[in-house]
Amino acid sequence: FRLLCSLLLPALFLSGVLCVCLVVLLWGVRLWIQRQKQLRSAGRDGKQPLLVGFFHPYCNAGGGGERVLWCAIRTLQKKYRNVTCVVYTGDRDATGEEIVEGAFRRFNIKLIHPVKFVFLEKRFLVEASLYPHFTLLGQSLGSVFLGWEALLKCVPDIYIDSMGYAFTIPLFKYLGGCRVGCYVHYPTISTDMLSVVRNQDTRFNNAAFITSSPFFSKLKLAYYYFFAFLYGLVGSCSDVVMVNSSWTLNHILSLWRTGVCTSVVYPPCDVQAFLDIPVEVEESTSEYSIVSVNQFRPEKDHPLQIRAFAKLLKEKRVGQQPSLKLILIGGCRNQQDEEHVNKLRCLSEELGVSDDVIFKINIPFEELKRHLAEATIGLHTMWNEHFGIGVVECMAAGTVILAHNSGGPKLDIVVPHEGRVTGFLAEDEDSYAETMAYIFSLSPEKRLEVRENARRSVHRFSDQHFEDTFLLSVEPLFK
């Protein structure tokens, strides 16, 4: 007992001293950062401009998350005259002018005032390829270092994480002294992910060698529970939490327990641009197209689209229609995404449908509209898609949507409107092929009815609705 006390007491004393030193160090860092913030030059009218920082390392990626970013910035510029928006990005291969021009070209979004870009050098720290194991934890810790670089380069008054790097939130709140908010597109970890590991289901993020081993499954489950605890801890630091769908809301409330400051803000979909496309009864044609609008990432499950399409062609379920094309439209952020596209091309060749599967990568907005205007079916296959801007765009453009029976499409988008069908849902290769065949078997008049119902239902996802709900949600940050 004496030996234990002789070892334990010095250890406790040393731990206490180290904790005090750490607190003093962090307090000193906070004071130094606040000093740098105070020395920031004043605006031309003698008043400090209010800096609103958006943490979005891939702001030039061209996906739905980027559309939210640029719409949010435009919304703040409309509302607040004394606000300067700052975007923390790792897109060092493009200038600020090129990034803004890309936002206009891809999303038809024109900003009112210039944006300040803070270019980060350590974006590689959040690349999944850097962490072949313990990827979630590795990327999250990497985001802390990336956030530290951002904080040292520019200290904002208001910080908004718009890309899902929740571990940066306490950094900006407690060291940067910022009011903090976030827009959550997809929880870094969810209760569904825990159930996948618990049930030993094989998914793109749960390898077969883990599902086949009870030991590794339990080990990964323990790791996921530990990470979920940390994720909930950092997320609960937010002053304002915005989520993009009912599905995301349920998971965030479960993990972060931030019910008072959490609200659903549907992402802005440029529905008007697609509603301008005239929709009429289809005329007889020699070719029908099925269009998918998704970024080329593993979770979007493009292989399911290609396999279902191949099955559709193989079983000749399309009747007398002479030709079908599957057009995969999406953005590539980096070499990893490009390698994913190459794998999809190889899969098309293996299934013998490479001549009928067309890839359109990082295409302009007008070309996207043209493909959607000509398509019969809009295809979406991601399991538990958090929202699905591509689903809304397909519906607004007048395609007959076929999405996955889960997540945002199931709960918020492909739901009856005034008691009428707005689209269809499926879950696996067989049901997707069968439902596509069913859609093609409908008369042009019946398809037109579904398309018109869908178009009438998408006004709740418009830019204007986003602006109203976004401003209402972030208002506490500006008080």
Side-chain angles (χ1 to χ4, degrees):
F1 178 74
R2 290 181 179 179
L3 178 62
L4 183 62
C5 288
S6 65
L7 294 174
L8 184 60
L9 291 177
L12 289 174
F13 177 76
L14 181 61
S15 299
V17 171
L18 291 175
C19 287
V20 171
C21 290
L22 180 61
V23 170
V24 172
L25 177 63
L26 292 176
W27 184 253
V29 170
R30 177 186 166 91
L31 292 177
W32 177 77
I33 291 176
Q34 292 304 303
R35 178 61 179 165
Q36 299 302 311
K37 186 176 180 179
Q38 291 172 0
L39 293 175
R40 192 173 65 212
S41 59
R44 293 182 179 179
D45 59 355
K47 296 180 180 179
Q48 285 274 56
L50 192 68
L51 283 188
V52 181
F54 289 85
F55 192 75
H56 209 105
Y58 295 91
C59 74
N60 204 30
E66 287 65 60
R67 191 170 209 289
V68 170
L69 168 70
W70 300 118
C71 275
I73 290 174
R74 183 180 63 183
T75 300
L76 292 181
Q77 290 179 343
K78 285 182 183 178
K79 173 72 173 179
Y80 301 101
R81 293 184 178 180
N82 66 325
V83 160
T84 297
C85 292
V86 179
V87 177
Y88 300 100
T89 178
D91 293 302
R92 294 185 297 146
D93 56 344
T95 65
E97 292 77 10
E98 289 172 340
I99 293 173
V100 171
E101 175 60 29
F104 176 70
R105 182 172 56 87
R106 292 171 185 166
F107 306 120
N108 199 30
I109 296 174
K110 191 170 184 63
L111 301 180
I112 301 170
H113 304 296
V115 172
K116 179 181 177 181
F117 288 91
V118 175
F119 290 95
L120 307 176
E121 299 177 4
K122 297 181 176 61
R123 189 176 70 178
F124 67 91
L125 291 175
V126 297
E127 294 280 356
S129 57
L130 190 63
Y131 311 100
H133 305 292
F134 301 100
T135 308
L136 295 180
L137 185 60
Q139 286 183 289
S140 297
L141 294 178
S143 72
V144 175
F145 288 98
L146 188 63
W148 175 247
E149 180 190 351
L151 187 60
L152 290 181
K153 289 185 174 180
C154 179
V155 184
D157 298 293
I158 296 172
Y159 171 78
I160 298 177
D161 166 39
S162 53
M163 205 176 170
Y165 293 105
F167 281 71
T168 64
I169 292 172
L171 185 70
F172 278 81
K173 181 171 185 176
Y174 298 114
L175 292 185
C178 309
R179 285 159 279 172
V180 297
C182 60
Y183 188 98
V184 183
H185 298 275
Y186 195 87
T188 305
I189 191 168
S190 66
T191 53
D192 286 340
M193 292 170 65
L194 292 171
S195 67
V196 164
V197 178
R198 190 185 305 110
N199 298 332
Q200 296 181 247
D201 293 336
T202 302
R203 299 274 181 174
F204 75 93
N205 57 353
N206 197 35
F209 82 90
I210 292 179
T211 61
S212 61
S213 169
F215 172 75
F216 282 122
S217 290
K218 290 179 181 178
L219 191 64
K220 184 170 184 177
L221 187 61
Y223 158 59
Y224 266 22
Y225 273 115
F226 170 70
F227 183 82
F229 169 75
L230 293 180
Y231 184 59
L233 205 61
V234 297
S236 64
C237 298
S238 300
D239 299 316
V240 166
V241 180
M242 294 166 281
V243 298
N244 64 345
S245 69
S246 302
W247 182 87
T248 307
L249 175 68
N250 294 334
H251 287 284
I252 288 299
L253 291 180
S254 173
L255 293 167
W256 291 12
R257 305 192 183 283
T258 51
V260 177
C261 61
T262 304
S263 57
V264 176
V265 179
Y266 288 132
C269 307
D270 194 7
V271 294
Q272 191 55 54
F274 294 103
L275 289 172
D276 290 338
I277 299 172
V279 173
E280 301 172 349
V281 177
E282 304 162 25
E283 298 180 357
S284 179
T285 179
S286 60
E287 181 177 292
Y288 286 90
S289 62
I290 302 167
V291 170
S292 163
V293 183
N294 286 290
Q295 284 190 307
F296 288 105
R297 303 203 303 261
E299 63 267 26
K300 299 300 183 180
D301 206 354
H302 289 91
L304 175 55
Q305 299 179 4
I306 296 172
R307 290 195 300 268
F309 179 69
K311 190 177 188 68
L312 179 69
L313 294 184
K314 182 180 179 180
E315 299 187 6
K316 297 181 180 179
R317 298 183 177 186
V318 293
Q320 301 300 316
Q321 304 302 338
S323 178
L324 272 181
K325 297 293 182 183
L326 174 61
I327 304 174
L328 304 181
I329 301 174
C332 278
R333 303 166 299 173
N334 47 38
Q335 185 179 353
Q336 187 177 6
D337 289 352
E338 292 171 1
E339 291 173 356
H340 182 60
V341 171
N342 290 333
K343 291 179 181 178
L344 295 175
R345 293 185 192 275
C346 291
L347 177 61
S348 300
E349 292 178 2
E350 291 173 11
L351 297 174
V353 294
S354 57
D355 292 338
D356 298 312
V357 178
I358 301 168
F359 292 84
K360 296 290 183 178
I361 302 170
N362 296 332
I363 63 174
F365 182 74
E366 290 302 319
E367 187 177 349
L368 168 65
K369 279 180 63 176
R370 180 172 59 81
H371 284 296
L372 286 176
E374 296 171 353
T376 300
I377 295 176
L379 195 60
H380 194 277
T381 49
M382 179 177 172
W383 172 72
N384 272 342
E385 170 70 91
H386 42 296
F387 178 73
I389 287 181
V391 175
V392 175
E393 290 176 344
C394 287
M395 292 169 69
T399 69
V400 180
I401 191 67
L402 174 55
H404 199 281
N405 189 28
S406 63
K410 177 183 180 180
L411 296 176
D412 294 312
I413 306 175
V414 191
V415 296
H417 177 67
E418 297 178 353
R420 298 177 180 177
V421 174
T422 58
F424 300 90
L425 300 169
E427 295 182 358
D428 52 27
E429 182 181 323
D430 290 334
S431 59
Y432 268 98
E434 290 170 3
T435 309
M436 282 190 285
Y438 172 74
I439 293 171
F440 281 115
S441 71
L442 295 173
S443 66
E445 291 76 16
K446 184 61 178 177
R447 282 200 294 266
L448 178 63
E449 181 182 327
V450 175
R451 294 156 70 197
E452 289 179 337
N453 292 340
R455 294 188 115 196
R456 284 191 289 267
S457 74
V458 298
H459 289 284
R460 57 207 166 99
F461 306 123
S462 65
D463 284 1
Q464 186 58 52
H465 189 268
F466 169 81
E467 290 182 7
D468 295 340
T469 53
F470 178 79
L471 287 175
L472 191 63
S473 297
V474 300
E475 188 177 359
L477 299 177
F478 289 84
K479 291 182 177 178

